[in-house]
Amino acid sequence: MAQIKLKGNPVNTTGSLPQVGTQASDFTLVKTDLSTVSLTDFKGSKLVLNIFPSIDTSTCATSVRKFNETASNLTNTKVLCISRDLPFAQNRFCGAEGLENVVNLSDFRDGSFGETYGLTITDGPLTGLHSRVVIVLDENGVVKHAEQVEDIVDEPNYEKALAAL
């Protein structure tokens, strides 16, 4: 269990993030067309997992916009924006914003991604949602960077995540 904050108030998560240098666990998430995708589907590409509570909050939306902007300049890299939002909400947001360089994925069906990666919030008003996390994986799915933002309302360290690529 990790302890983070929501506007300065302590909240807990289900576990610890994957450690740098370890193999990332496989997952199954839902795309905006309601099909499923797994980590193995991205083998051979570097990945930035931009994980957050909800696309409909300002900090989460900002992270999606910033990673969308930088993703267009990255070689052999995909940015996966992962939340428990319904795929329809993710698609609506990115469509309205004209964001085309990120892949939106949802953990709405069973929350197993959040449980496996140890980032599901277990108490407080956001119970059941994901904490704000950025995980960078190399082409073979090895963790190169993992950051769980100390306070959910804060943005991740974009530069550090991108430097890990």
Side-chain angles (χ1 to χ4, degrees), residues 37-53:
V37 66
S38 69
L39 178 59
T40 56
D41 293 321
F42 296 102
K43 189 168 177 82
S45 294
K46 297 176 187 175
L47 299 177
V48 176
L49 308 182
N50 178 33
I51 307 156
F52 48 85

Side-chain angles (χ1 to χ4, degrees), residues 7-28:
K7 297 181 180 180
N9 298 308
V11 293
N12 297 292
T13 64
T14 53
S16 299
L17 299 182
Q19 295 296 305
V20 171
T22 62
Q23 185 70 39
S25 297
D26 199 12
F27 56 73
T28 300

